[in-house]
Amino acid sequence: MQRFLKHSNIPTFHEENPHMQLGSVAIPTGTTNLHQQQPLPPAAKRCIYFGLLVIVLVTVRKLLFVCGVPVPVRLISQLGGFVSFVFLVLGMWMLNRVTGVGLIRPSHLWLARTWQVLLIALFLYGMARGNSVSIAGKEFIALWFFSATWLAGTNNEFWIAITKALTIIFYASLPLIFFSTDIVAPVTTYSGTSEAEYQYIGVRRTNTLAYEFRPLIGSGMFLGVWGLVQPKGGKWRTLQIAAFALAFAIQVGVFKFRSSAGFFLLAGASALVVRPIIERRVRIAFLVSIVIAFSVGLGAFFMTEASNVLLNRIANPDGNSMFTSRIAELQSYIESIGLEMAVGRGLGGHYNAQAAIGTDHAANWHTVHLGLLVFTLKGGLPLLTIFMLVLASGFLPRPRSWLMHPCNMAAMALLPVMVLQFCLVPFGLSPMSSISYLPPMMAMARFGRTNNPE
């Protein structure tokens, strides 16, 4: 461990110096050391890294088909999702078993364990209702992964290992995305995989291979915020901050997700403002410059054609705004599930959304695009309440020594973005969504730590 710290760029505490310097603020002894005394167990690290590698390979599986390699795409997805889940959760379990739960708040530990017990009950409930075993299994894996990360994410060494792995995955995925924006992705059905008959590439490229690879760069916002709140110096920090800008360019420029621009701007502004406030290094000139830069950027955006498109989607005079489909889906959901919303329909549960979606397969719709409502579909108010309590712990008052820790600071900076995303963006409840939900669930994990930052 000492050898690792010697070659790292993370500031460490020395016995002869009773204070550690972070930026320009003196921190009391032992309160903000990024590394814990006990390193991540090698077996746990290998399991976690292997699980992430399997997810990456499964995500790019259609590239093999396009290159002419005869691979069973659907089978790879099913087996890969299960294998990655087993290794990731096994690695997290070994981590918790070795490092213990002494830094986890008892209430947080109770919520995570209750969530897991409830998932087992909801799986059995879904089977009793006749829900699809395959879909229920996928949702069980995704939701169990949430709780496993809520516990493992309290470990500082876990953060360091995961952020480095996500940085490598991010940059390794960039060439795949840039070279496949004009390649139509093959279609996978129960009968097999074949080339898509519909070869037209729309503005958002949602039918391309590049769009299939988007989860691999989904950590860009998180990495950027993490880089901004870390102590200065280090190649990892530079790469992570750059990932923020690259992810923004891809999401907004390549795939035309203009709403993502708002999330990125909020995350960046939050990170830039939160750190000086916590460190008590507020500089009026710096804050004013941020406001001016934001205002200039916003003004420049509203002079572009993209702003007209976005405004038309928000308030379309013909009544076909970006919220129309969401409101219609919500109405279908409420009409279909009714009072069952209180208890849910178990894992694999679905409802009839044909009136809103307009396709035959929407008769068995398994998601709700208004984020958190999907928990009421699967587990009713109990499942939703547990998730909300874990998230709400981010609003609890904390001592400054706790807030000064970079991991905790990053989580606090991401909190406003997570609240909006969880409300407005749908949850992808499948094993392959694990890599996408690592960052937000790691942030939620920090809210479950005791007030001791170590």
Side-chain angles (χ1 to χ4, degrees):
M1 183 64 184
Q2 293 298 326
R3 184 178 62 181
F4 179 84
L5 293 178
K6 178 180 178 181
H7 295 285
S8 71
N9 292 297
I10 305 299
T12 57
F13 163 70
H14 298 282
E15 292 182 359
E16 65 272 19
N17 182 7
H19 292 83
M20 181 185 74
Q21 294 294 327
L22 181 61
S24 62
V25 181
I27 310 303
T29 297
T31 58
T32 56
N33 188 2
L34 183 58
H35 290 270
Q36 292 173 315
Q37 295 301 312
Q38 190 171 20
L40 198 67
K45 184 182 293 188
R46 286 193 291 268
C47 284
I48 292 170
Y49 283 168
F50 182 75
L52 290 176
L53 176 62
V54 172
I55 292 178
V56 173
L57 295 177
V58 172
T59 303
V60 301
R61 67 193 184 280
K62 290 188 177 181
L63 178 62
L64 298 175
F65 182 88
V66 170
C67 293
V69 181
V71 294
V73 176
R74 189 174 185 85
L75 180 61
I76 290 176
S77 176
Q78 293 173 337
L79 292 179
F82 177 75
V83 170
S84 64
F85 167 75
V86 169
F87 277 91
L88 283 170
V89 173
L90 178 62
M92 294 179 189
W93 175 80
M94 288 191 293
L95 168 64
N96 293 330
R97 186 171 178 268
V98 172
T99 60
V101 294
L103 292 177
I104 302 178
R105 298 165 68 97
S107 59
H108 181 81
L109 181 61
W110 183 86
L111 288 172
R113 297 307 187 200
T114 303
W115 175 277
Q116 294 173 344
V117 172
L118 183 58
L119 287 182
I120 296 174
L122 290 173
F123 181 84
L124 297 176
Y125 176 49
M127 295 302 94
R129 287 180 54 91
N131 297 343
S132 166
V133 177
S134 174
I135 295 176
K138 291 179 180 179
E139 294 175 351
F140 179 87
I141 288 175
L143 293 172
W144 190 282
F145 178 78
F146 287 8
S147 59
T149 310
W150 290 345
L151 299 178
T154 59
N155 185 288
N156 296 339
E157 296 290 342
F158 180 80
W159 265 67
I160 297 169
I162 291 298
T163 51
K164 289 182 178 180
L166 291 178
T167 303
I168 294 172
I169 291 172
F170 180 92
Y171 282 98
S173 304
L174 291 181
L176 294 178
I177 289 179
F178 285 126
F179 288 111
S180 62
T181 54
D182 295 326
I183 301 177
V184 177
V187 177
T188 302
T189 63
Y190 285 103
S191 58
T193 303
S194 60
E195 293 185 4
E197 296 179 1
Y198 188 66
Q199 294 293 317
Y200 174 75
I201 297 177
V203 175
R204 288 192 169 183
R205 297 177 170 86
T206 55
N207 61 335
T208 64
L209 276 179
Y211 191 84
E212 299 268 342
F213 303 152
R214 276 181 66 238
L216 301 179
I217 60 154
S219 60
M221 180 191 298
F222 165 76
L223 291 174
V225 171
W226 169 237
L228 288 172
V229 302
Q230 285 186 68
K232 294 182 180 179
K235 61 181 180 181
W236 289 103
R237 182 174 186 265
T238 302
L239 289 172
Q240 288 157 358
I241 294 176
F244 185 94
L246 290 169
F248 176 90
I250 293 173
Q251 299 285 18
V252 179
V254 177
F255 296 115
K256 309 300 180 184
F257 283 99
R258 298 176 180 89
S259 59
S260 295
F263 291 128
F264 273 90
L265 290 174
L266 178 59
S270 179
L272 290 173
V273 171
V274 164
R275 179 173 180 176
I277 291 177
I278 292 176
E279 295 179 351
R280 297 176 182 172
R281 292 190 298 115
V282 178
R283 299 170 182 169
I284 301 301
F286 176 71
L287 293 179
V288 170
S289 65
I290 291 179
V291 173
I292 293 175
F294 179 80
S295 301
V296 171
L298 195 63
F301 172 74
F302 280 114
M303 295 176 64
T304 64
E305 181 62 27
S307 68
N308 295 329
V309 175
L310 179 61
L311 290 175
N312 286 333
R313 291 193 67 215
I314 294 176
N316 192 302
D318 297 329
N320 188 25
S321 69
M322 63 188 300
F323 298 109
T324 301
S325 61
R326 298 292 188 265
I327 294 174
E329 185 188 27
L330 177 61
Q331 291 174 339
S332 293
Y333 175 62
I334 294 175
E335 292 174 0
S336 177
I337 196 170
L339 295 178
E340 254 188 306
M341 187 183 299
V343 296
R345 293 183 168 177
L347 298 186
H350 54 83
Y351 66 100
N352 190 339
Q354 278 183 306
I357 308 301
T359 57
D360 293 336
H361 71 276
N364 297 319
W365 203 241
H366 290 87
T367 187
V368 184
H369 281 89
L370 293 175
L372 293 169
L373 282 180
V374 75
F375 295 126
T376 63
L377 173 62
K378 309 303 177 181
L381 295 180
L383 196 66
L384 175 64
T385 300
I386 294 176
F387 188 89
M388 292 297 293
L389 287 174
V390 176
L391 181 62
S393 60
F395 295 94
L396 294 175
R398 303 280 188 168
R400 180 167 170 267
S401 60
W402 185 91
L403 295 170
M404 286 294 296
H405 195 285
C407 295
N408 301 334
M409 195 183 299
M412 295 304 298
L414 287 166
L415 180 58
V417 183
M418 290 193 301
V419 170
L420 285 178
Q421 286 186 326
F422 290 162
C423 291
L424 301 177
V425 180
F427 282 86
L429 300 181
S430 69
M432 292 302 96
S433 67
S434 300
I435 198 168
S436 300
Y437 289 112
L438 253 177
M441 298 308 143
M442 286 168 59
M444 290 177 67
R446 304 305 295 191
F447 306 147
R449 281 178 63 96
T450 62
N451 286 339
N452 180 353
E454 287 300 321

